[in-house]
Amino acid sequence: MSYKAKFKVWRGDAGEGSLEDYGVEVNEGEVVLDIIHRLQATQAPDMAVRWNCKAGKCGSCSAEVNGVPRLMCMTRMSTFTEDETITVTPLRTFPVIRDLVTDVSFNYTKAREVASFEPPAELKPGDYRMAQVDVERSQEFRKCIECFLCQNTCHAVRDHEDNKDHFAGPRFLMRVAELDMHPLDTRERRNEAQEDHGLGFCNITKCCTEVCPEHIKITDNALIPMKERVADRKYDPLVWLGNKIARRK
Amino acid sequence: MSTDTLTYEYDVVVIGAGGAGLRAAIEARAQGRSVAIICKSLFGKAHTVMAEGGAAAAMGNVNANDNWQVHFRDTMRGGKFLNNPRMAELHAKEAPDRVWELEEWGALFDRTKDGKISQRNFGGHEYPRLAHVGDRTGLELIRTLQQAVVSFQQKDFREHGDYEARIKVFAEHTITRLLLDGDRIAGAFGYRREDGQFVLFKAPAVVLATGGIGKSYKVTSNSWEYTGDGHALALLAGATLINMECIQFHPTGMVWPPSVKGILVTESVRGDGGVLRNSEGKRFMFGYVPDVFRKQYAETEEEADRWYTDPDHNRRPPELLPRDEVARSINSEVKAGRGTPHGGVFLDIASRLPAEEVRRRLPSMYHQFKELADVDITAEPMEVGPTCHYVMGGVEVDPDTAASSVLGLFAAGEVAGGMHGSNRLGGNSLSDLLVFGRRAGLGAADYIARLEQDRPEVQDADVDAARTEALAPLEFEAGENPYTVHSELQQTMNDLVGIIRREHEVAAAIEKLGEFRERREKLSAPGSRTFNPGWHLALDLRNMLLVSDCVAKAALERQESRGGHTREDYPVMSATWRKVNLVCSLDEQGRAKLEHKPVPTIRHDLLELFEVSELRKYMTEEELAGLPGMEPADEAVEVAAVEDEVVEAEAEAVEAEAAEVETVEAEAAEAEEPEAEAVEAEEAAEAEAEEPEESEAQSEAESEDAPEAEVSETAEIPAQAEADATESVADVSAADGEEGAK
Ligand code: SF4
Ligand code: SF4
Ligand code: FES
């Protein structure tokens, strides 16, 4: 069941690079990451690629396969025809280090700018009480494996390098939402989302949601509710206030 | 000293950014020390994210009877009493606090009805004990610790205007050598993966938190980072490892497709009715029930099938035998030519439950096979075989401070040995890394406080030597490809030092390791220093070879079968060997050498948590002398003890059979106790009842961290029987070194 596939892999570093052609064996049941590993083991031992879990759980192996941002370990070869040329390129939004490895430090910088969880000061460890329904909203966002595919895809950074300073990107706006919806967080985060993290740059195209391998409804469940709250549209000040006071108990 | 090396100074360097490393770093920083965290991957990608089951902590949220004593007892039983009892004690006592503090840092565990942290049943744990978040507990743990590190950085930013003033993450860095000043740690040397830049950390204290060694095996659930770095660094610095022969193999890993070979298939599949079949369609496990288990396991498919709905009046299906039995049986079937096309056996749930039911009970397995293997488990069987999962052995440490035998060197998490004895219980890994990660951070901070001005100095010559060593594969031109040596090593370990060990095979492995060692000196990695995986692998191979040498030599030495060490020629546990820690260090040629040291004795107050009849299964009579309730042993016991066998005092049947050197399963008795099982069933039901709907579904899902069976709502697996990993071997003649997974 094995055949020889045509691959084009971007090779190069920060300076320059180009797509290189490879003919490589493909066996039944393999994923794109397997083929990259076969290239390493047989033709290009120095081909740079990130990966860890091979099971879609660590978010390391992000790249663009035929232009689509994906996890390589979750992209099955059987989704391509045998005569199709498969092109693998690094994430476009982040600077290339080498080959398929990009500099994703932007994301770690943004992560650091989101103020940490602030529990009520007097609450002792072991005394936290939260209802399952209340933790579930934030739990959805905590499924994030930080593959940064959404960050890579969002046009607000993908096509506008200069926005990077002012826009945290969907993953970290979602982190703000996650903390905001945490039943015990005491910090007022609404304004921060807008003023510090650039919520306004998002025009709810949902491209981030589409690429999320964890199927998190980033736009619907995190970004839109936050926008609504910021815009005071659907948000009822009394409910909101009651909520914040209640949790300060 | 060469000038092309970046130099940093810290109080504490933590190597590894999984759960143990991050917890250690947080503690050292909280104690006011400056900390460097070195991670081989990006920050937040550590293998800990693969742990799904949960963190075991006797909080008593679901069953108020739980307490640290019960947890301690379960851990010792699981480890077959080879555990360092002080570690097991500290772990059981401190785990609840470690879990609770995660909440302060923002973790969101699943909740009970009254809003507390929900706890899940798990194999080997007497009460529902695992704090969890669906089936992604490890991810929650890593993210929480990662965010706790960030919150320290934010604090430092407010104070010093620099996020990295006192705690900095060096992502994608690899340490290749620890540096000494005399007999004390002085620093660590390594490289930045991104560009091959050499880095030198001057630091009086180093915490190893590098995880396991699975990448020495062909079929493993471990990620590429698990190359035994910490184990090897410790050895090279003069520290010791203990009980490296104890390795946990999980019977059901995926064997197909190749990309996911080794990834776990939860035991819940079997608990929920999944059956194992060979290529002839036969449910072969009925032919592999050892005599000692015959009383508890069904003899016909009809009876086995009735058990799922009526466990009180029927015996358990043989698919639910202890994991070593299952792993070995799979092995034998494959060896006999009745394996699947990809060298496993079939695990069939499709013909057992309606598709809807499979999706409801095993959502995560359903997705895992759908997305990774393009297999619809509601329509076709899975292919499974044993996979290398966890190493119980590791750096020999002081339980209270996590200090190794080298001054300034600490170790925590999977890289440390002792805590789990010869077999780890599921759920005890996440709690282990929190408890001992913190202790290692504290230990390091205290050590530095005692040093005062007397800081060790890095020697230039050592840095130059480390640099030369690291450059060798790049400079050597006509050498071998590191990928070739690596795959041969993996094949060798898998075939010859796998689940079932035979003297001649292990000896052959040791010989081969010697050859690999020579070949490794002449590897070449073409390309530059910029993110060059071939080069990185060439360097990691040194570690894998060192560690494999320890594993193989210890496996040859220990003449008994216990937990994660099964010897075909010594099929039962030996009370004399229980007292022995196999301690590994390096000789002058850099080869592993072994020494026997006593396992630390168990304090009387801890021994008294067990029935004497149970202790007799593990210990010699002298060890038990003086314990209350200790009467002279009866004849049968004495005879068997003389034969150096484990004696099952509670099961009469076993005594009758003790004469035929068959498996003597300590757990048989537990599995037989109806009350215990009934109580558990109730608790399981309770636990489930308290789960919210979504996580109820998830609680069926697989647990990567769980070598033991999870207890599912319909088919309850008696904890103790499953707590048992590789134990004694019955019918080993058919078994073979291929470990059923090619
Ligand atoms: S929905 Fe917003 S954050 Fe997501 S891709 Fe579109 S603009 Fe970006
Ligand atoms: S939100 Fe989804 S796409 Fe974005 S980083 Fe997390 S897992 Fe990846
Ligand atoms: S390797 Fe972990 S997500 Fe692909």
Side-chain angles (χ1 to χ4, degrees):
Chain A
M1 288 293 283
S2 85
Y3 68 97
K4 198 128 197 164
K6 286 178 294 230
F7 261 71
K8 277 184 191 296
V9 182
W10 196 90
R11 301 296 310 268
D13 55 26
E16 58 197 78
S18 58
L19 286 171
E20 302 229 341
D21 290 298
Y22 297 94
V24 55
E25 183 189 315
V26 173
N27 301 307
E28 197 192 340
E30 288 182 329
V31 293
V32 169
L33 184 61
D34 289 315
I35 311 309
I36 298 296
H37 281 154
R38 180 160 302 124
L39 287 174
Q40 277 184 338
T42 56
Q43 306 177 36
D46 61 340
M47 183 180 281
V49 58
R50 279 197 187 105
W51 66 285
N52 273 31
C53 68
K54 267 191 155 185
K57 292 193 171 124
C58 71
S60 302
C61 64
S62 308
E64 303 195 357
V65 181
N66 290 347
V68 185
R70 311 207 46 155
L71 296 177
M72 284 185 280
C73 72
M74 298 298 279
T75 307
R76 303 180 52 72
M77 287 301 296
S78 57
T79 55
F80 307 104
T81 59
E82 293 192 6
D83 48 13
E84 200 170 338
T85 299
I86 295 151
T87 307
V88 189
T89 47
L91 294 181
R92 203 182 88 191
T93 304
F94 308 118
V96 169
I97 292 173
R98 217 167 80 82
D99 305 338
L100 301 176
V101 173
T102 55
D103 177 357
V104 291
S105 56
F106 164 76
N107 300 289
Y108 290 93
T109 306
K110 292 298 171 188
R112 215 147 57 181
E113 289 167 3
V114 180
S116 297
F117 173 54
E118 290 180 14
E122 67 288 354
L123 198 57
K124 291 201 196 58
D127 291 345
Y128 286 48
R129 296 290 179 274
M130 295 176 262
Q132 182 64 31
V133 282
D134 294 334
V135 299
E136 260 159 24
R137 289 192 305 173
S138 297
Q139 278 183 332
E140 181 193 3
F141 308 142
R142 290 181 73 85
K143 288 197 305 194
C144 169
I145 58 174
E146 300 207 328
C147 63
F148 308 131
L149 287 175
C150 58
Q151 301 284 90
N152 172 62
T153 303
C154 176
H155 65 94
V157 275
R158 192 176 174 99
D159 302 326
H160 305 278
E161 182 67 31
D162 41 333
N163 284 351
K164 277 188 176 169
D165 278 351
H166 315 289
F167 182 59
R171 195 276 171 259
F172 297 103
L173 285 168
M174 180 178 89
R175 165 80 172 139
V176 178
E178 172 214 315
L179 287 163
D180 197 40
M181 294 178 192
H182 190 303
L184 292 174
D185 184 60
T186 57
R187 193 180 175 93
E188 171 57 64
R189 297 177 186 271
R190 233 181 342 156
N191 292 339
E192 291 177 354
Q194 189 72 6
E195 286 155 23
D196 302 343
H197 306 299
L199 181 60
F201 285 94
C202 165
N203 52 0
I204 50 179
T205 58
K206 300 198 188 187
C207 311
C208 51
T209 305
E210 269 162 38
V211 295
C212 177
E214 284 294 310
H215 310 295
I216 302 170
K217 297 212 167 56
I218 309 170
T219 326
D220 287 352
N221 293 352
L223 306 181
I224 295 178
M226 208 153 46
K227 276 178 174 283
E228 284 172 349
R229 287 250 312 280
V230 167
D232 274 7
R233 250 186 280 144
K234 282 197 185 156
Y235 121 85
D236 174 348
L238 283 178
V239 170
W240 174 239
L241 199 62
N243 198 355
K244 279 281 175 187
I245 289 169
R247 66 170 82 158
R248 286 212 165 87
K249 270 211 297 260
Chain B
M1 189 175 90
S2 290
T3 48
D4 70 339
T5 302
L6 279 178
T7 304
Y8 304 93
E9 273 190 57
Y10 283 92
D11 291 330
V12 182
V13 171
V14 177
I15 307 175
L22 295 184
R23 189 61 191 81
I26 287 166
E27 196 59 30
R29 167 63 188 78
Q31 299 295 319
R33 298 296 159 187
S34 68
V35 183
I37 302 171
I38 318 286
C39 52
K40 221 168 157 179
S41 297
L42 291 173
F43 191 32
K45 306 295 180 196
H47 198 56
T48 309
V49 304
M50 300 294 284
E52 302 181 337
M59 297 182 283
N61 289 354
V62 172
N63 187 315
N65 291 325
D66 201 11
N67 56 42
W68 75 262
Q69 287 94 339
V70 184
H71 192 183
F72 169 81
R73 205 161 58 199
D74 291 343
T75 301
M76 293 298 290
R77 280 176 184 151
K80 303 281 183 289
F81 283 75
L82 194 65
N83 320 56
N84 180 317
R86 174 68 178 156
M87 289 178 90
E89 178 195 358
L90 289 172
H91 168 257
K93 282 182 174 164
E94 295 177 2
D97 286 339
R98 297 290 80 77
V99 170
W100 284 322
E101 79 196 350
L102 294 177
E103 289 200 306
E104 283 184 274
W105 299 334
L108 284 173
F109 291 102
D110 289 346
R111 318 305 297 181
T112 62
K113 268 205 193 104
D114 53 356
K116 296 180 185 168
I117 296 174
S118 173
Q119 298 187 269
R120 158 186 290 172
N121 263 308
F122 232 62
H125 294 281
E126 193 169 332
Y127 297 113
R129 186 176 287 149
L130 272 63
H132 59 273
V133 187
D135 58 0
R136 54 161 190 86
T137 315
L139 176 66
E140 184 70 12
L141 213 126
I142 279 290
R143 212 55 93 221
T144 303
L145 294 172
Q146 185 181 347
Q147 286 159 356
V149 168
V150 164
S151 104
F152 271 114
Q153 293 183 322
Q154 292 173 344
K155 217 177 275 171
D156 290 342
F157 182 73
R158 288 194 293 270
E159 276 174 36
H160 307 277
D162 177 7
Y163 285 109
E164 294 175 336
R166 293 159 84 192
I167 183 165
K168 179 169 157 99
V169 179
F170 292 81
E172 301 194 307
H173 280 63
T174 304
I175 296 298
T176 59
R177 278 280 174 175
L178 300 179
L179 306 171
L180 297 173
D181 180 1
D183 57 357
R184 301 185 299 165
I185 287 290
F189 176 90
Y191 61 89
R192 185 157 72 191
R193 302 178 82 80
E194 176 181 319
D195 56 4
Q197 168 70 54
F198 288 126
V199 287
L200 167 64
F201 295 90
K202 296 184 172 175
V206 167
V207 177
L208 297 172
T210 52
I213 65 164
K215 274 294 153 188
S216 298
Y217 283 82
K218 183 163 175 215
V219 181
T220 175
S221 60
N222 294 175
S223 87
W224 67 268
E225 297 184 280
Y226 269 36
T227 51
D229 295 3
H231 293 84
L233 291 171
L235 282 173
L236 291 166
T240 45
L241 310 182
I242 56 170
N243 301 331
M244 290 300 290
E245 69 282 12
C246 298
I247 293 177
Q248 191 165 68
F249 291 86
H250 193 288
T252 58
M254 294 174 82
V255 296
W256 173 255
S259 58
V260 292
K261 197 166 189 162
I263 290 183
L264 289 200
V265 179
T266 174
E267 290 182 25
S268 296
V269 176
R270 281 172 284 145
D272 281 353
V275 296
L276 293 165
R277 293 187 206 277
N278 61 21
S279 58
E280 293 160 5
K282 188 174 161 219
R283 254 179 98 171
F284 59 84
M285 284 305 299
F286 287 96
Y288 290 96
V289 183
D291 284 349
V292 284
F293 280 127
R294 222 148 260 166
K295 283 177 74 179
Q296 295 93 48
Y297 288 84
E299 278 161 52
T300 63
E301 298 196 17
E302 293 70 31
E303 181 182 3
D305 288 350
R306 285 195 302 268
W307 176 86
Y308 295 104
T309 45
D310 183 9
D312 293 342
H313 301 99
N314 294 285
R315 290 171 297 176
R316 306 152 55 74
E319 278 84 5
L320 299 178
L321 275 161
R323 322 159 90 216
D324 60 324
E325 303 291 349
V326 179
R328 216 167 19 248
S329 311
I330 293 175
N331 224 25
S332 303
E333 284 299 303
V334 175
K335 165 85 167 114
R338 295 187 293 268
T340 64
H342 305 107
V345 293
F346 292 113
L347 173 56
D348 169 26
I349 186 93
S351 72
R352 310 271 302 164
L353 290 176
E356 212 20 71
E357 198 59 15
V358 174
R359 274 194 295 269
R360 191 185 73 78
R361 292 197 199 176
L362 301 163
S364 167
M365 275 301 111
Y366 174 74
H367 286 291
Q368 181 173 322
F369 275 88
K370 191 86 202 143
E371 294 188 21
L372 295 174
D374 205 12
V375 164
D376 178 358
I377 66 169
T378 68
E380 45 186 323
M382 300 159 247
E383 287 184 63
V384 296
T387 180
C388 174
H389 186 50
Y390 187 91
V391 60
M392 275 68 68
V395 178
E396 187 179 27
V397 290
D398 169 61
D400 291 78
T401 61
S404 75
S405 55
V406 171
L407 285 172
L409 183 62
F410 302 79
E414 190 172 351
V415 69
M419 161 66 206
H420 305 289
S422 63
N423 176 44
R424 176 178 66 81
L425 292 185
N428 269 0
S429 180
L430 292 184
S431 43
D432 165 17
L433 50 81
L434 293 171
V435 168
F436 293 103
R438 170 177 161 278
R439 283 191 165 267
L442 262 182
D446 287 350
Y447 169 76
I448 293 168
R450 288 197 307 275
L451 279 180
E452 293 174 2
Q453 294 314 309
D454 177 27
R455 287 218 170 196
E457 290 291 331
V458 168
Q459 313 297 308
D460 289 353
D462 293 343
V463 177
D464 289 336
R467 199 178 158 280
T468 309
E469 177 187 51
L471 283 174
L474 288 170
E475 286 169 355
F476 198 79
E477 282 189 3
E480 220 179 331
N481 180 344
Y483 294 94
T484 315
V485 178
H486 185 212
S487 79
E488 285 180 38
L489 166 70
Q490 291 181 311
Q491 193 73 54
T492 302
M493 291 303 283
N494 232 79
D495 291 353
L496 305 179
V497 202
I499 304 178
I500 296 154
R501 286 100 187 239
R502 297 166 191 79
E503 187 174 324
H504 66 280
E505 288 183 350
V506 178
I510 293 171
E511 195 151 312
K512 282 205 159 183
L513 288 170
E515 290 166 26
F516 294 147
R517 194 183 160 86
E518 282 164 28
R519 286 163 64 185
R520 192 199 72 84
E521 320 236 298
K522 295 186 234 92
L523 291 178
S524 56
S528 71
R529 272 159 70 177
T530 309
F531 217 110
N532 182 344
W535 179 42
H536 303 160
L537 178 61
L539 298 176
D540 290 346
L541 262 173
R542 179 200 66 193
N543 302 341
M544 287 187 264
L545 288 171
L546 272 176
V547 168
S548 301
D549 204 29
C550 294
V551 172
K553 283 179 177 154
L556 187 62
E557 183 82 359
R558 186 176 289 276
Q559 295 178 336
E560 65 161 348
S561 292
R562 177 182 303 276
H565 172 64
T566 304
R567 279 285 294 262
E568 185 186 67
D569 39 357
Y570 298 96
V572 292
M573 287 197 283
S574 141
T576 341
W577 271 105
R578 190 208 67 80
K579 294 192 286 181
V580 179
N581 271 339
L582 287 178
V583 180
C584 216
S585 57
L586 294 187
D587 64 15
E588 292 78 53
Q589 284 80 48
R591 296 268 193 150
K593 67 165 195 248
L594 289 173
E595 224 182 306
H596 292 207
K597 279 199 209 160
V599 173
T601 51
I602 308 173
R603 284 200 320 267
H604 263 214
D605 60 310
L606 295 176
L607 272 183
E608 282 165 18
L609 298 171
F610 299 89
E611 300 283 328
V612 170
S613 57
E614 179 177 8
L615 294 176
R616 279 212 174 108
K617 299 173 199 166
Y618 300 100
M619 298 183 176
T620 60
E621 293 295 311
E622 312 90 82
E623 288 178 87
L624 300 176
L627 271 185
M630 182 65 195
E631 323 110 33
D634 68 30
E635 296 260 334
V637 171
E638 250 157 26
V639 171
V642 169
E643 287 175 7
D644 215 13
E645 299 215 357
V646 184
V647 175
E648 176 44 81
E650 285 159 340
E652 307 103 30
V654 174
E655 277 191 22
E657 278 158 17
E660 324 162 13
V661 185
E662 254 290 7
T663 315
V664 182
E665 271 290 347
E667 276 57 37
E670 269 81 5
E672 251 186 345
E673 280 172 32
E675 305 102 309
E677 217 175 308
V679 169
E680 273 190 43
E682 264 175 50
E683 279 153 15
E686 235 177 84
E688 289 298 337
E690 296 199 4
E691 301 265 350
E693 235 186 83
E694 196 193 336
S695 44
E696 183 172 331
Q698 284 173 336
S699 75
E700 310 302 336
E702 98 267 22
S703 107
E704 198 78 36
D705 184 54
E708 272 66 29
E710 301 86 312
V711 180
S712 64
E713 60 194 311
T714 48
E716 230 261 282
I717 297 155
Q720 207 42 50
E722 294 298 320
D724 204 30
T726 44
E727 176 141 42
S728 49
V729 181
D731 186 19
V732 283
S733 53
D736 152 274
E738 290 168 50
E739 318 308 14
K742 304 204 176 59

